[in-house]
């Protein structure tokens, strides 16, 4: 024990545990000891030293690989200093400070020194406010900085989010948590891993003020706490939780606590909950300890485990969840068992591990989500507070829009392209995507295109769109010059994809080519090119496999993993591919299996000593899985779309691992899927309007060197188009040019789709994205799309020009108070307003379909109903 003084209200036993874990990390990271732990040689206060030890004690593997000690010391010092400077600093208990203020990591973002930057912006704005009002004010600031847009799975950092001015909900909430922690307010990112009633998921924020946790919608401020558009869907959730990078004792329900990582279950704060008790036995009736019990629900056409809990010594596992259906699967060794747990079932489940081979044929069943629930009646806000809130929203949107106006313009992009002799449209496409990083990218193009011609542009085009907002010249130079030094006789497209492109998976892009090119002699590099499996063997021998935290697997950057000489299997696989590309070896992660491969004269080969599998395992032979159209399918059967209504999964160690293919892929019949031999499950699903899914499992076996044919079928569903009411079409609306128009004049003689929307909120943005994606079939159908917006709250900064890909018959109109909604929509309280409200009308202005609120997939449902109406009209003519 280094100190008997109690720090941060921790008792001697807790301090001893921190000290022990810290010493373990020092030994673990011996290869980077000088980079990580030299900061302890500085003059530190006792509080600083213990806070820093605490940070290191629970640090993920990838963070020890990717960052240096100065960054963590800066976070610690800033957090301790801010605690002394904010008015509520001494009111935040030590245990909340340690778990929800001090941590530098929130999600899977790249770590940056953000605290001082954000504190400087928020300190004066919040200094004279209560903690509760400071939370609200911080969210107004977040609204000024960023808004919602869908994007890929890599989580950008808070400072990159500010630079980009937009991001997905996981990034909005990462920014909001970072901002709150930067002014000393305990905050945590809260999320539902997957919705049960529709696809996708959502993340938001909880913040602590004077003894109580409150929730807010990140970057979407309300006038009060515990309000948000996501409140109604949260009442249908099956799990709502948060991650804590530490041993956290509660008092909340703990779902997972291992290796210094805790997940707590917050569902009861949002939705009705029940506790399911699962008992796992073997075939002899004996309890099975340490069995994995997976609680899975249908989402994006797969069965996703929202929780995985180990059985105790008595073979029991408990899970607090909502009142919907789950697929419960228990696995131990080579045996497993699975049951469909329906909401009306008893809370006690018994599973006998008696299966070792998957079934044959097909199985049909329904998955029913929790029902919709009523929220608590909120106290009506004074009109002046509502007006002030609306003013703040409008001001925030204008502030953000003004910042976006500083991005490099199309005219500037064309001028740059002309000056360096590059195609104007391609240059503008890149710079437009780079947004707040556009001038950095422009300088790179200007500096490098004179010498390297089109290659700098080709490098940028090979990267993911999100890479363009947080990749800087040092990194771009490393990859451009390092890749071109290895330019061989390959076809240009092959070189671009498998040598030039720095993007391997979802790791942060860093300069690594120079590192790897200097790390090996010319003779070693030549030997690796001759036989890349030699490189895999050396890496497997010299580098240690170490499992990282569940959400950080595969997030280590290659340079960091290389220097630490340790990593999880995915990060080590990324390292192999990065070294190969740096040395001029064509390499990739397999598109669906995500295993490291190199290109030889025989085609793509697995690394002989794959870094994700034990040594001496031979390279796998592949099989083919050919999907066939259902010749007996009904005319209204859905078109196959990967991860939208079907997916493929292989049985591995008793669980089904979903294969990774691009979301929404529809070209699934022309070529077979190249897959590893094994047992496969094809999942198809049709989601009904109430969120229920009609599921079908189709089982098959794929053998090495053979092609297995499987007919892709869906369960039959009837398209229900009842008459729900009639639209009052005499409502007077205003076109965006200011002219008056009657709603009836905007509707077509063949029907219409109409929606009352809030363009600045995430639910409406999902609907507009779906309508853009469905533009081609909607244009073919020819029905008008009428989108009605208001004048206040989440509409004031609306710009119709931001949506050029909408169907051609789309028209926007204003309805200042949404008066035209009255009569057929019951209006809930304002903070649960339920927008968008979507309707499909027939040729008599009758409502044949309606949907309100957040529900992914309403665009396709509306198209399906509108198509059925059109077919019935054409059939009656």
């Amino acid at each position: 024990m280094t100190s008997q003084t109690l720090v941060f209200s921790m008792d001697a036993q807790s301090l001893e545990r921190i000290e022990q874990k810290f010493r373990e990390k020092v030994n673990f990271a011996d290869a980077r000891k000088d980079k990580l732990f030299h900061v302890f040689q500085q003059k530190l206060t006792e509080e600083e030293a213990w806070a820093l030890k605490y940070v290191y004690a629970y640090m993920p593997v990838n963070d020890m690989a990717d960052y240096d000690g100065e960054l963590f010391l800066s976070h610690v010092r800033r957090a301790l200093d801010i605690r002394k400077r904010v008015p509520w600093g001494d009111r935040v208990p030590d245990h909340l400070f340690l778990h929800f203020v001090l941590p530098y990591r929130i999600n899977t973002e790249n770590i940056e020194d953000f605290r001082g930057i954000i504190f400087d912006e928020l300190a004066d704005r919040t200094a004279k406010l209560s903690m509760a009002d400071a939370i609200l004010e911080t969210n107004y600031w977040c609204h000024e900085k960023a808004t919602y847009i869908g994007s890929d799975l890599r989580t950008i950092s808070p400072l990159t989010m500010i630079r980009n001015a937009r991001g997905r909900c996981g990034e909005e909430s990462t920014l909001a948590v970072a901002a709150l922690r930067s002014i000393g307010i305990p905050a945590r990112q809260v999320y539902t891993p997957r919705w049960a009633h529709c696809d996708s998921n959502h993340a938001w924020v909880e913040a602590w003020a004077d003894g109580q946790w409150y929730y807010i919608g990140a970057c979407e401020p309300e006038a009060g706490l515990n309000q948000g558009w996501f409140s109604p869907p949260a009442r249908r959730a099956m799990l709502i939780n948060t991650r804590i990078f530490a041993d956290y004792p509660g008092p909340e329900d703990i779902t997972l606590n291992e290796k210094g990582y805790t997940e707590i279950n917050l569902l009861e704060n949002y939705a009705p909950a029940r506790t399911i008790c699962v008992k796992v036995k073997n075939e002899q009736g004996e309890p099975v300890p340490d069995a994995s019990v997976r609680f899975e629900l249908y989402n994006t056409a797969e069965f996703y485990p929202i929780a995985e809990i180990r059985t105790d010594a008595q073979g029991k596992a408990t899970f607090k969840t909502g009142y919907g259906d789950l697929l419960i699967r228990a696995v131990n060794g080579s045996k497993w068992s699975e049951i469909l747990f329906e909401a009306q079932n008893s809370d006690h489940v018994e599973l006998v591990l008696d299966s070792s081979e998957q079934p044959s044929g097909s199985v049909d069943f329904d998955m029913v989500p929790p029902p919709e629930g009523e929220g608590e009646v909120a106290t009506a806000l004074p009109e002046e507070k509502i007006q002030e809130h609306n003013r703040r929203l409008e001001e925030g949107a204008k502030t953000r829009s003004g910042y976006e106006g500083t991005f490099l313009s199309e005219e500037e992009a064309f001028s740059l392209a002309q000056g360096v002799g590059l195609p104007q449209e391609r240059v503008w496409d890149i710079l437009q995507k780079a947004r707040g990083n556009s001038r950095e990218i422009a300088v790179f193009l200007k500096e490098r295109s004179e010498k390297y011609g089109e290659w700098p542009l080709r490098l940028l085009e090979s990267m993911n769109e999100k890479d363009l907002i947080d990749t800087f010249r040092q990194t771009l130079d490393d990859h451009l010059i390092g890749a071109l030094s290895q330019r061989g006789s390959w076809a240009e497209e092959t070189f671009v994809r498998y040598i030039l492109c720095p993007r391997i998976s979802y790791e942060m892009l860093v300069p690594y080519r120079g590192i790897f090119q200097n790390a090996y002699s010319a003779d070693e590099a030549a030997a690796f090119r001759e036989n890349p499996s030699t490189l895999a063997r050396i890496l497997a021998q010299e580098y240690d496999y170490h499992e990282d935290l569940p959400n950080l697997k595969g997030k280590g950057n290659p340079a960091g993993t290389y220097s630490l000489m340790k990593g999880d299997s995915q990060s080590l696989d990324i390292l192999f591919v990065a070294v190969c590309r740096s040395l001029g070896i064509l390499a990739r992660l397999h598109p669906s299996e995500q295993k490291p491969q190199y290109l030889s004269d025989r085609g793509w080969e697995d690394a002989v000593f794959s870094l994700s599998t034990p040594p001496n395992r031979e390279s796998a032979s592949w099989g083919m899985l050919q999907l066939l159209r259902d010749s007996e399918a009904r005319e209204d059967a859905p078109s196959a779309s990967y991860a939208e209504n079907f997916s493929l999964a292989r049985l591995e160690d008793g669980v089904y691992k979903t294969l990774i293919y691009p979301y929404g892929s529809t070209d699934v019949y022309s070529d077979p899927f190249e897959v590893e031999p094994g047992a496969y499950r094809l999942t198809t699903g049709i989601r009904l309007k109430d969120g229920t899914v009609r599921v079908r499992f189709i089982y098959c076996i794929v053998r090495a060197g053979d092609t297995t044919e499987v007919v892709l079928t869906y369960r039959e569903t009837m398209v229900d188009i009842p008459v729900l009411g009639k639209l009052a079409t005499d409502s007077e609306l205003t076109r965006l040019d200011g002219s008056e128009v009657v709603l009836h004049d905007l509707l077509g003689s063949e029907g219409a789709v109409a929606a009352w929307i809030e363009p600045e909120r995430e639910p409406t943005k999902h609907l507009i994205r779906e309508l853009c994606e469905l533009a081609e079939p909607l244009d073919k159908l020819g029905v008008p799309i009428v989108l009605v917006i208001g004048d206040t709250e989440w509409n004031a900064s609306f710009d119709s020009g931001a949506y050029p890909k909408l169907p051609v018959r789309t028209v926007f109109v204003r309805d200042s108070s949404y008066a035209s909604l009255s009569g057929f929509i019951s209006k809930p309280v304002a903070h649960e307003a339920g927008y968008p409200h979507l309707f499909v009308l027939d040729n008599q202005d009758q409502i044949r379909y309606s949907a309100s609120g957040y529900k992914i997939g309403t665009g396709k449902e509306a198209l399906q109903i509108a198509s059925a109406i059109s077919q019935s009209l054409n059939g009656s003519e």
Side-chain angles (χ1 to χ4, degrees), residues 57 63 94 163 185 194 312 332 349 388 402 420 480 507 515 652 757 819:
D63 291 354
D94 283 341
R163 184 187 310 115
I185 293 179
R194 294 290 188 276
D312 61 17
N332 185 257
V349 177
E388 172 64 12
V420 296
L480 175 69
E507 75 286 358
I515 295 173
E652 286 188 4
I757 63 175

Side-chain angles (χ1 to χ4, degrees), residues 268-324:
E268 280 187 311
N269 296 342
Y270 298 88
R274 66 195 298 191
T275 299
I276 302 174
C277 301
V278 179
K279 186 165 187 178
V280 181
K281 297 181 177 181
N282 60 23
E283 291 176 280
Q284 290 73 44
E286 302 164 332
V288 180
D290 202 38
S292 169
V293 181
R294 295 162 57 95
F295 299 86
E296 303 177 342
L297 56 76
Y298 179 97
N299 189 286
T300 57
E302 69 169 340
F303 276 83
Y304 182 89
I306 57 172
E308 183 175 355
I309 300 173
R310 294 280 174 177
T311 54
D312 61 17
Q314 288 75 46
K316 294 180 180 179
T318 59
F319 177 51
K320 185 170 288 183
T321 187
Y323 283 83

Side-chain angles (χ1 to χ4, degrees), residues 444 448 451-452 455 459 473-487 495 500 513-514 517 582:
F444 167 73
R448 297 304 179 197
K451 180 176 180 180
Y452 297 104
W455 285 115
L459 170 67
R473 276 176 283 169
Q474 179 189 4
T475 299
L476 295 171
D477 281 344
D478 173 81
H479 289 292
L480 175 69
I481 298 168
L484 292 179
S485 71
Q486 306 299 315
R487 180 82 171 98
F495 170 75
L500 179 66
R513 293 187 200 253
Q517 288 170 356
S582 300

